[in-house]
């Protein structure tokens, strides 16, 4: 069976690279698909735009989603994911620098599985991503494909 992908939705190239390095450092075979904004994330998940023709039944193992994104913000992406039966059960981790109470509350109200604030310190940031990877890729049991 082919390893499922991790979808990383992050507009900061620096954060994308740090997250990618931290995940790969754990020697996990899952491919990381990175997109730069919420519109690209939705196009990827629903097989439209530049991702037209992609097998949408190949859903990600987990989505790492920033809340503050260009074009379509993370909360809007989350709402659209949860409204669609094809994507409603994909685990979503809001991985963001926002520590605003309203963002945390809105994320959980819209069905996020976890909310993780990105640490500012490089070593802490790397460790946080490694822990996320360990939990969501190794320990977590995902629902069966529909």
């Amino acid at each position: 069976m082919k390893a499922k992908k991790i979808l990383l939705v992050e507009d900061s190239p620096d954060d994308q690279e740090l997250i990618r390095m931290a995940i790969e450092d754990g020697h996990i075979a899952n491919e990381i698909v990175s997109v730069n904004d919420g519109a690209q994330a939705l196009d990827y998940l629903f097989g439209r735009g530049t991702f037209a023709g992609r097998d949408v039944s190949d859903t990600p193992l987990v989505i790492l989603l920033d809340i503050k994104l260009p074009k379509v913000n993370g909360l809007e992406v989350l709402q659209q994911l949860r409204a669609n039966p094809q994507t409603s059960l994909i685990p979503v981790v809001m991985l963001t620098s926002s520590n605003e109470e309203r963002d945390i509350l809105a994320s959980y109200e819209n069905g996020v599985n976890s909310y993780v604030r990105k640490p500012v310190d490089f070593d802490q940031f790397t460790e946080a991503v490694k822990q996320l990877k360990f939990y969501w890729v190794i320990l977590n049991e995902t629902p069966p494909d529909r």
Side-chain angles (χ1 to χ4, degrees):
M1 185 173 149
K2 187 175 160 186
K4 287 195 160 221
K5 296 172 177 70
I6 296 170
L7 179 60
L8 173 59
V9 188
E10 172 62 63
D11 60 322
S12 164
D14 291 339
D15 285 356
Q16 274 189 12
E17 187 58 27
L18 288 175
I19 293 166
R20 182 177 298 282
M21 288 175 8
I23 290 173
E24 290 173 354
D25 188 45
H27 307 290
I28 299 297
N30 302 78
E31 177 185 344
I32 302 163
V33 175
S34 297
V35 294
N36 302 316
D37 60 56
Q40 286 180 342
L42 293 170
D43 284 351
Y44 176 82
L45 291 161
F46 298 121
R48 53 190 195 210
T50 58
F51 298 100
R54 187 187 82 75
D55 178 6
V56 294
S57 69
D58 182 16
T59 58
L61 176 66
V62 63
I63 299 170
L64 303 178
L65 180 64
D66 193 359
I67 200 167
K68 298 186 187 312
L69 294 167
K71 297 185 182 178
V72 179
N73 74 41
L75 289 173
E76 293 173 68
V77 171
L78 183 60
Q79 290 167 351
Q80 290 190 44
L81 290 175
R82 294 303 183 235
N84 186 301
Q86 179 78 23
T87 58
S88 64
L89 297 179
I90 299 171
V92 177
V93 176
M94 199 66 78
L95 182 59
T96 182
S97 57
S98 174
N99 201 26
E100 295 179 33
E101 215 172 272
R102 71 174 181 263
D103 287 341
I104 297 168
L105 183 59
S107 294
Y108 279 108
E109 287 175 341
N110 285 288
V112 79
N113 297 91
S114 184
Y115 191 100
V116 177
R117 188 170 172 273
K118 295 181 211 170
V120 177
D121 175 81
F122 172 77
D123 291 331
Q124 289 177 338
F125 183 80
T126 302
E127 186 58 32
V129 172
K130 285 181 184 177
Q131 293 299 320
L132 281 173
K133 175 208 57 167
F134 180 73
Y135 179 78
W136 290 104
V137 175
I138 296 171
L139 293 180
N140 187 53
E141 288 290 331
T142 58
D145 291 331
R146 292 189 201 192

